[in-house]
Amino acid sequence: MPREITAFSNPLIKRMRTLRDKKHRRDEGLFLAEGLRILTEAREAARLPQYLFYTKESANHPLVLALIDAVEGKTGWAVETNADILSKLSGKDNPGAVVGVFAEFESKLEDLDRTRSPIWLVAERLRDPGNLGTILRTADAVGAGGLILVDECVDPFSVEAVRASMGALFTVPVARAPWAEFATWLRKGPGQLVGLSLDTDLDYQAARYAAPTFLLTGNEAQGMPDFMARACDLTVKIPMLGKADSLNAAVATAVMAYEVLNQQRA
């Protein structure tokens, strides 16, 4: 049966609040996700939280009821609480109707099937959780096979990244690997590595992309290192007609992903 917790001093609430910190997420192997849309996306992707927190006011919503039934049916905990506690868990002044606590998950490079999709996204030393979440949404939108995070990227299970992904974290496979491991894996099978770069004259619409295409986006501030650019089959440039010298990393990734999609649909 669902449980009720209304005290901030409750040990479970205290423990769950620590998951906003990366160290505690790693120690526990758990992460927070907030919002009815995101948790519904997770349920539809067959990923259920170990703990589901919801308010009494939201308990009659059909999607909240579906989540409660699913969690309780899988030996998880559905916990009725109040908006103040949801706010403490989510870090938002106006929290959504539900907060879920999930076990961390991710794919290994060797488990990825590169024939799954003609488009794959790769991000190198990505630092901003909002960018990571947005790139995940782009990956979902274009039907990408997955997102590969190279070297030290921001944690995809941070509250901010999960929120920015709008549920795509649960629908897009994510793998993490050092550059050398990724480069070795990539060259063991088919795959065209395409880097987004300012140091090239090749227009992104003039290039021709071969499936599966792996789109590599570099660090937001520094771009990709020269040795990575040299390892690419192609480096391409999105023209900048105004005073800005570059696009936001997530925006550039989306522009490129849709160009590849358009070519492959032609």
Side-chain angles (χ1 to χ4, degrees):
M1 293 293 291
R3 299 142 179 90
E4 182 179 2
I5 296 176
T6 57
F8 290 108
S9 59
N10 182 276
L12 179 63
I13 299 301
K14 287 184 175 180
R15 177 183 162 212
M16 295 301 99
R17 286 184 64 189
T18 67
L19 298 179
R20 296 184 56 78
D21 179 77
K22 184 177 182 179
K23 178 183 182 301
H24 288 288
R25 286 197 300 275
R26 285 182 172 176
D27 291 345
E28 294 267 9
L30 300 171
F31 70 97
L32 292 162
E34 178 262 334
L36 186 54
R37 175 179 173 178
I38 292 176
L39 267 67
T40 297
E41 290 276 3
R43 177 176 62 83
E44 292 176 350
R47 293 198 182 274
L48 294 173
Q50 292 187 7
Y51 300 96
L52 173 70
F53 297 91
Y54 64 96
T55 64
K56 182 177 181 179
E57 292 76 17
S58 68
N60 292 324
H61 193 291
L63 292 178
V64 175
L65 288 173
L67 283 166
I68 293 171
D69 290 343
V71 170
E72 288 289 322
K74 295 293 184 180
T75 69
W77 277 34
V79 179
E80 182 180 298
T81 186
N82 55 54
D84 288 339
I85 288 180
L86 285 190
S87 179
K88 292 294 183 183
L89 291 174
S90 69
K92 291 179 65 178
D93 292 334
N94 297 300
V98 289
V99 171
V101 178
F102 292 80
E104 288 191 357
F105 56 87
E106 63 182 68
S107 301
K108 296 181 179 179
L109 280 180
E110 56 267 29
D111 295 332
L112 297 178
D113 177 7
R114 66 182 77 201
T115 66
R116 180 175 184 262
S117 171
I119 304 175
W120 293 75
L121 303 186
V122 185
E124 179 263 331
R125 291 179 302 140
L126 205 65
R127 290 289 185 258
D128 185 271
N131 280 339
L132 192 153
T134 301
I135 289 174
L136 275 169
R137 291 179 70 182
T138 297
D140 181 85
V142 300
L147 171 63
I148 300 170
L149 301 176
V150 172
D151 291 341
E152 287 297 320
C153 286
V154 65
D155 184 5
F157 298 109
S158 70
V159 172
E160 296 82 5
V162 175
R163 183 180 296 143
S165 81
M166 292 301 290
L169 177 68
F170 298 101
T171 62
V172 176
V174 177
R176 291 187 271 191
W179 167 257
E181 182 181 332
F182 164 70
T184 299
W185 171 83
L186 178 67
R187 297 312 179 189
K188 287 182 178 179
Q192 181 190 47
L193 184 60
V194 178
L196 282 69
S197 174
L198 296 176
D199 299 322
T200 180
D201 294 326
L202 181 57
D203 188 283
Y204 79 112
Q205 290 184 318
R208 288 297 169 258
Y209 305 110
T213 305
F214 290 79
L215 294 176
L216 173 60
T217 303
N219 171 266
E220 293 99 334
Q222 301 169 345
M224 73 183 73
D226 289 341
F227 73 89
M228 289 189 187
R230 291 193 297 269
C232 291
D233 299 297
L234 292 174
T235 55
V236 297
K237 183 177 184 177
I238 297 172
M240 305 299 297
L241 305 182
K243 292 186 177 181
D245 60 359
S246 65
L247 293 173
N248 168 274
V251 173
T253 300
V255 171
M256 279 297 309
Y258 271 97
E259 175 61 24
V260 173
L261 179 63
N262 286 336
Q263 285 194 21
Q264 293 175 348
R265 289 193 304 182

